[in-house]
């Protein structure tokens, strides 16, 4: 696999631009199929509740490579459940757990070259 040109042994806990991020919208009672975005910017409406009321939810998870080259995400089902619960608590439309896990698989596939090598 072609790896990103990073100093793998000395990665810092900070932002690293990757090739893609995904954006999903909830309209007319359903989530869309999501868009693959190459820019590392998002457009936020001036009316976004995250700006006015601090209403937002976030889940991060670890993806790693095994010795045999297989890639795994650490317990994405648990992240999906927490994300759903967070959204429900702040009265946001929850992302179905299946869609969350599908999105994890999709973004990992798109950004596979940024997964640290085994060891």
């Amino acid at each position: 696999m072609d790896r990103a040109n990073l100093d793998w042994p000395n990665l810092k806990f900070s932002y690293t631009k990757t090739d893609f991020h995904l954006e999903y919208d909830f309209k007319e009672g359903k989530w869309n199929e999501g868009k693959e975005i190459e820019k590392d910017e998002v457009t936020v409406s001036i009316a976004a509740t995250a700006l006015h009321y601090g209403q937002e939810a976030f889940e991060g998870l670890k993806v790693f490579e095994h010795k045999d080259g297989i890639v795994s995400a650490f317990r994405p089902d648990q992240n999906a459940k927490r994300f759903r619960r967070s959204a429900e608590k702040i009265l946001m439309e929850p992302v179905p757990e299946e869609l969350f896990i599908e999105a994890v698989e999709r973004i990992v596939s798109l950004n596979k070259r940024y997964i640290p090598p085994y060891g």
Side-chain angles (χ1 to χ4, degrees):
M1 167 187 12
D2 175 38
R3 299 231 186 245
N5 185 21
L6 298 173
D7 184 6
W8 296 104
N10 298 302
L11 289 179
K12 306 236 182 310
F13 190 73
S14 61
Y15 176 74
T16 299
K17 184 183 181 327
T18 58
D19 295 330
F20 293 94
H21 75 271
L22 298 174
E23 291 182 10
Y24 291 82
D25 293 312
F26 185 80
K27 290 185 180 175
E28 300 175 5
K30 63 182 179 180
W31 289 96
N32 71 359
E33 70 281 352
K35 292 182 279 187
E36 298 171 0
I37 309 293
E38 292 185 60
K39 296 188 320 182
D40 62 343
E41 300 170 354
V42 294
T43 302
V44 179
S45 166
I46 196 165
T49 55
L51 297 177
H52 295 279
Y53 304 104
Q55 183 182 17
E56 58 184 280
F58 175 83
E59 270 294 323
L61 63 102
K62 182 173 175 74
V63 175
F64 56 95
E65 184 179 79
H66 296 268
K67 191 174 189 176
D68 61 4
I70 293 189
V71 172
S72 294
F74 182 72
R75 297 172 48 175
D77 58 323
Q78 298 302 309
N79 290 79
K81 287 177 184 170
R82 280 192 302 274
F83 196 63
R84 179 186 44 79
R85 284 194 310 265
S86 294
E88 289 170 346
K89 284 181 181 180
I90 58 176
L91 304 177
M92 291 175 70
E93 185 62 39
V95 174
E97 293 173 26
E98 304 81 34
L99 179 59
F100 182 97
I101 291 171
E102 178 184 299
V104 168
E105 292 170 353
R106 186 173 170 190
I107 199 65
V108 166
S109 175
L110 289 167
N111 290 309
K112 194 170 183 177
R113 64 194 205 99
Y114 291 91
I115 299 169
Y118 175 80

